[in-house]
Amino acid sequence: MYSIVLVDDHAIVREGFKRLIELEPDLEVIAECRCADDAVDAINQRRPDLVALDLSLPDGSGLPLIEHLHSLAPDTHIVVLSMHDGEPYVSEALRRGASGYVTKGAAPEELVAGLRQVMQGETFLSSDLRQRRAERPSEALDPVNRLTAREREVFLLLAAGKAPKQVAAALGVGQKTIYIHRASLMGKLGAGSELDLYRMASERGLLSERKN
């Protein structure tokens, strides 16, 4: 029996997913959560095989939560169930550790198929996302994914409106180092200004990563 935690702030959506999942004899929903804090508590206490996670939660974006849950329970698989079907959301969720992404407009049988495939150690995308990637493969090559970990930190801080001096202080490095990272990441992203960085981060739902 595979144990599943559902994380969605809409009770009617959770109930629908729960009924669908529990039609399967080997799948069991062991907890339902409406926010990120509830999800963290459930994962710590229950250690499920899989988390089905919405990205729009009342206490923040589900994207940072993916990484947090992954660090709490590395053996727990994460599948995103979301109304957001844009490639930046998909790429970012997978980069952060999700093993699957199913849009809420997908057929019900795709959800079950996706959960099973992910629990077998594979990656799953619903058919609408697979088709879009096949038609526009360049979208899967999001330039943000080409950034190093440090460049990404600098990118997010600059996009949040921090000056290079503030970024240097936040990361504990010299200003010269920040200018080097800034030049590199702006080249990779094709950005001409901090305003471009803000737009790119905003479009990808990344600004919630850095609030300080």
Side-chain angles (χ1 to χ4, degrees):
M1 181 71 73
Y2 292 109
S3 57
I4 298 170
V5 168
L6 291 177
V7 185
D8 193 296
D9 62 328
H10 294 97
I12 193 169
V13 174
R14 293 197 306 271
E15 183 63 24
F17 285 145
K18 180 179 179 180
R19 291 187 181 187
L20 176 64
I21 290 169
E22 293 194 333
L23 290 174
E24 305 299 314
D26 59 339
L27 303 180
E28 178 186 16
V29 175
I30 60 171
E32 299 177 51
C33 309
R34 65 171 300 273
C35 64
D37 287 343
D38 290 348
V40 170
D41 290 342
I43 273 60
N44 273 328
Q45 296 171 14
R46 308 300 295 274
R47 299 289 169 170
D49 296 305
L50 185 141
V51 176
L53 173 68
D54 188 15
L55 292 184
S56 299
L57 300 173
D59 51 354
S61 168
L63 287 170
L65 182 59
I66 293 173
E67 285 181 309
H68 187 45
L69 296 182
H70 198 57
S71 68
L72 290 176
D75 295 331
T76 296
H77 302 290
I78 299 173
V79 172
V80 171
L81 301 177
S82 179
M83 62 178 288
H84 299 295
D85 61 358
E87 181 58 40
Y89 286 100
V90 180
S91 296
E92 192 63 19
L94 296 178
R95 188 194 70 80
R96 290 170 182 261
S99 297
Y101 200 113
V102 179
T103 62
K104 289 184 176 178
E109 57 268 21
E110 283 204 77
L111 171 59
V112 174
L115 298 182
R116 292 190 185 284
Q117 189 166 319
V118 165
M119 285 188 286
Q120 291 170 3
E122 302 175 36
T123 299
F124 180 86
L125 298 179
S126 53
S127 58
D128 54 341
L129 300 178
R130 295 197 303 270
Q131 181 177 353
R132 183 178 304 142
R133 284 191 164 199
E135 293 173 349
R136 297 193 293 253
S138 61
E139 286 192 1
L141 304 176
D142 189 335
V144 172
N145 295 334
R146 296 171 51 210
L147 301 181
T148 66
R150 179 59 89 186
E151 287 172 348
R152 187 182 185 83
E153 288 184 295
V154 175
F155 162 55
L156 293 174
L157 286 166
L158 291 173
K162 302 294 184 183
K165 183 177 181 179
Q166 294 173 302
V167 176
L171 299 181
V173 299
Q175 256 186 273
K176 183 178 180 181
T177 299
I178 297 304
Y179 282 118
I180 293 172
H181 285 311
R182 185 177 70 169
S184 177
L185 70 89
M186 291 182 79
K188 289 180 180 181
L189 298 177
S193 66
E194 274 77 12
L195 182 59
D196 289 335
L197 299 182
Y198 169 81
R199 176 181 55 79
M200 292 179 181
S202 180
E203 289 174 348
R204 290 161 174 77
L206 306 180
L207 292 179
S208 61
E209 287 190 35
R210 290 283 186 180
K211 296 184 179 180
N212 301 313

